[in-house]
């Protein structure tokens, strides 16, 4: 377990190992990563670009089909269905446009209807599972529709810890 204040080290049996002297946070992270060297089946992270991804078939309840790529008239129409996106600070959920100037739809406000999009998503999950070394492959992970974010020109999500 890592924390900015104190780091606890655990051995392979999940027993806490006491170490003398509190090392700096970067040193703590380095030490944890060093101890995993050669034990990971895959990469720590994975990213890729899908240059020919199909249109997801976005349908917003109350608006209908939203064409993509998103041009300004459709963006204005979509924004009317959105609400200001909150952010979390500790146990609080806040809306503050000085920290996060973003609009959002909840997953129950829209659907993605394209079969080609679904197939692309399933293929992407397979590649991600393989790259990360997930035991069980793509059957052990899932994608889950959560939110749709809409950023105006110049919008941002600032650091808020």
């Amino acid at each position: 377990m890592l924390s900015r204040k104190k780091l606890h080290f655990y051995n392979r049996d999940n027993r806490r190992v006491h170490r003398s002297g509190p090392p700096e946070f970067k040193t703590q992270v380095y030490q944890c990563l060093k101890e995993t060297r050669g034990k990971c089946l895959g990469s720590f992270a994975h990213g890729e670009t899908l240059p020919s991804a199909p249109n997801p078939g976005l349908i917003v309840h109350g608006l209908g089909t939203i064409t993509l790529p998103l041009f300004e008239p459709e963006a204005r129409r979509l924004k009317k269905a959105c609400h200001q996106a909150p952010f979390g600070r500790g146990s609080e959920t806040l809306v503050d446009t000085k920290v996060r100037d973003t609009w959002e739809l909840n997953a129950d406000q829209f659907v993605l209807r394209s079969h080609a999009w679904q197939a692309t998503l399933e293929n992407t999950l397979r590649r991600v599972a393989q790259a990360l070394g997930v035991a069980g492959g793509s059957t052990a992970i899932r994608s889950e529709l959560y939110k749709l974010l809409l950023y105006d020109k110049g919008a941002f999500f600032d650091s808020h810890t």
Side-chain angles (χ1 to χ4, degrees):
M1 168 192 281
L2 280 176
S3 97
R4 289 186 183 265
K5 294 178 184 172
K6 190 172 185 181
L7 177 70
H8 302 287
F9 291 92
Y10 294 87
N11 65 17
R12 288 186 184 143
D13 299 326
N14 211 21
R15 292 190 180 148
R16 192 167 162 187
V17 177
H18 296 281
R19 304 224 171 137
S20 61
E24 293 296 318
F25 183 70
K26 287 180 182 178
T27 305
Q28 295 172 0
V29 171
Y30 171 77
Q31 192 63 33
C32 284
L33 293 173
K34 183 178 168 187
E35 289 178 15
T36 65
R37 188 177 300 154
K39 298 173 190 163
C40 297
L41 300 174
S43 298
F44 174 75
H46 177 73
E48 61 183 66
T49 301
L50 302 175
S52 60
N55 188 316
L58 174 61
I59 299 173
V60 177
H61 304 307
L63 291 181
T65 301
I66 301 294
T67 58
L68 298 176
L70 191 62
F71 293 105
E72 195 167 330
E74 280 288 74
R76 280 195 299 269
R77 197 171 138 231
L78 179 58
K79 185 176 175 180
K80 288 179 183 178
C82 294
H83 55 272
Q84 197 72 50
F87 66 95
R89 179 179 288 148
S91 62
E92 298 179 277
T93 301
L94 307 167
V95 173
D96 183 348
T97 57
K98 294 178 185 137
V99 174
R100 187 176 195 186
D101 188 16
T102 310
W103 297 90
E104 74 177 19
L105 290 176
N106 295 323
D108 63 355
Q109 294 179 274
F110 68 99
V111 293
L112 304 176
R113 295 282 176 161
S114 167
H115 295 293
W117 176 258
Q118 187 60 38
T120 298
L121 189 56
E122 289 168 9
N123 288 330
T124 301
L125 280 176
R126 266 189 234 105
R127 289 191 307 276
V128 168
Q130 182 179 11
L132 297 179
V134 174
S138 62
T139 60
I141 61 173
R142 69 175 193 266
S143 63
E144 190 172 300
L145 198 57
Y146 179 62
K147 303 265 186 188
L148 182 145
L149 298 178
L150 179 67
Y151 286 84
D152 282 322
K153 191 174 188 176
F156 57 89
F157 190 7
D158 216 2
S159 175
H160 60 281
T161 56

